Amino acid sequence: MSAYGLIGLSLDHSFSPAFFRQFFIERGLSNHSYSSIEIKDGEELKRFFSTSISQYSGLNVTLPYKEAVMPFLHQLDPIAQSIAAVNVIKVGTGLQLKGYNTDGPAFLDTLKEWDLPEMGFALVLGNGGASKAVQWALNQMDYTYSIVNRGVSKETIEYAHLQKRLVEKASLIINTTPLGMYPKVKECPPFPFDGINSTHKVYDLIYNPEKTLFLQLAEAKGARIKNGHEMLEKQALLSWKIWQQAE
Ligand code: NAP
């Protein structure tokens, strides 16, 4: 029996358990299981790593534990190190735990079909975990970018100070905030949509709803749009690849 699972909080509507259960059925992997592992706080996380980790061959990690799991791991893949967040754990021989990040590579892969200009400029809305994965991908593409976020900070621009000329300069705009995610589908980052036109590619990492208000407003201005579903599938498939790799 090979057991896999997703560590996180409020996992009722998570994508990975349903995805992997179907994945195992389609491949006839009847001796594989995938469970939701609801963890309510840091104490419970610690207990999980000391008492339950031996039951698993691999794990996915979601909010709010992508950083919190790092002290429990023995090794970090260089991409996870660079993004400073882990969404995949491989449980190796002797319970050696190695952490990976597949969000960054998955996002990068989904950009291929968009035929983006080389060494362009992007705007990244939000500066949390997913934003760090997106920033890693933009660095791989030799893109420059500005980060737009609420609140005042040296490294980010406030929404209210985002100028139209910066929006016009961007080839790619990515929403990495949870604004607009089900059930709060009427929410949207306070973005100046006036600067958007048909040359823009606008990406929202949210996958539920399929078309967030942010994507609807960008599409109405002529932009090409993409939601987070493809990235989600790709990061899951990359997790599987990691778990199958020989040590
Ligand atoms: P996170 O670490 O909590 O970061 C969220 C970011 O959004 C933070 O920068 C936060 O601002 C900003 N934000 C939150 N509420 C806001 C508000 N009301 N107004 C303005 N900004 C706000 O979360 P995350 O892990 O990055 O995830 C963010 C989203 O990406 C979620 O919807 C998640 O489902 C999605 N995601 C999708 C995929 C995929 O495969 N498609 C993968 C990963 C994540 P502060 O910095 O000020 O707190």
Side-chain angles (χ1 to χ4, degrees):
M1 189 77 185
S2 297
Y4 299 88
L6 172 68
I7 298 179
L9 184 68
S10 311
L11 299 176
D12 284 353
H13 300 288
S14 293
F15 164 86
S16 298
F19 174 85
F20 275 111
R21 284 175 199 145
Q22 186 61 27
F23 182 88
F24 294 153
I25 290 169
E26 282 168 9
R27 282 157 188 78
L29 298 170
S30 53
N31 59 344
H32 285 51
S33 67
Y34 194 101
S35 46
S36 295
I37 307 159
E38 190 85 33
I39 292 193
K40 70 171 187 301
D41 57 24
E43 270 310 303
E44 206 171 310
L45 187 68
K46 197 169 161 190
R47 226 171 13 252
F48 173 82
F49 276 98
S50 62
T51 61
S52 306
I53 191 71
S54 58
Q55 299 165 23
Y56 295 93
S57 305
L59 296 163
N60 286 119
V61 184
T62 188
L63 281 174
Y65 300 120
K66 288 185 183 182
E67 290 161 25
V69 296
M70 290 168 73
F72 300 103
L73 309 178
H74 304 103
Q75 244 187 306
L76 270 188
D77 172 76
I79 298 176
Q81 191 139 29
S82 163
I83 296 172
V86 162
N87 72 315
V88 181
I89 298 172
K90 183 177 166 84
V91 184
T93 315
L95 297 184
Q96 280 295 304
L97 305 180
K98 184 166 178 181
Y100 298 82
N101 188 302
T102 61
D103 285 335
F107 174 76
L108 183 60
D109 207 37
T110 62
L111 292 180
K112 282 183 185 152
E113 66 168 34
W114 251 354
D115 203 18
L116 287 159
E118 279 181 31
M119 294 191 286
F121 170 75
L123 283 173
V124 182
L125 314 189
N127 198 24
S131 173
K132 297 291 187 306
V134 164
Q135 291 169 40
W136 173 86
L138 294 171
N139 287 330
Q140 305 308 301
M141 294 161 64
D142 288 327
Y143 259 52
T144 54
Y145 53 85
S146 293
I147 304 159
V148 186
N149 203 19
R150 62 180 172 184
V152 184
S153 120
K154 267 191 192 153
E155 59 166 357
T156 63
I157 303 172
E158 282 180 81
Y159 288 94
H161 296 162
L162 179 57
Q163 291 173 1
K164 192 175 170 191
R165 65 162 185 85
L166 209 58
V167 177
E168 284 168 347
K169 182 183 157 196
S171 341
L172 178 62
I173 299 162
I174 311 123
N175 176 36
T176 76
T177 79
L179 290 168
M181 190 163 74
Y182 178 85
K184 297 181 176 171
V185 297
K186 293 206 168 119
E187 290 186 351
C188 182
F191 189 82
F193 289 93
D194 270 359
I196 295 196
N197 57 50
S198 61
T199 65
H200 285 102
K201 313 279 194 304
V202 177
Y203 202 132
D204 198 327
L205 297 199
I206 294 171
Y207 48 89
N208 183 13
E210 221 169 278
K211 208 184 275 184
T212 55
L213 181 56
F214 178 71
L215 290 185
Q216 290 173 38
L217 294 171
E219 192 176 43
K221 291 282 177 186
R224 281 188 66 189
I225 58 166
K226 186 191 277 293
N227 70 20
H229 189 81
E230 195 187 340
M231 172 178 167
L232 197 65
E233 277 201 358
K234 280 191 194 282
Q235 64 78 25
L237 290 169
L238 287 172
S239 310
W240 177 245
K241 226 168 148 181
I242 288 166
W243 296 329
Q244 297 312 296
Q245 271 164 14
E247 284 176 50

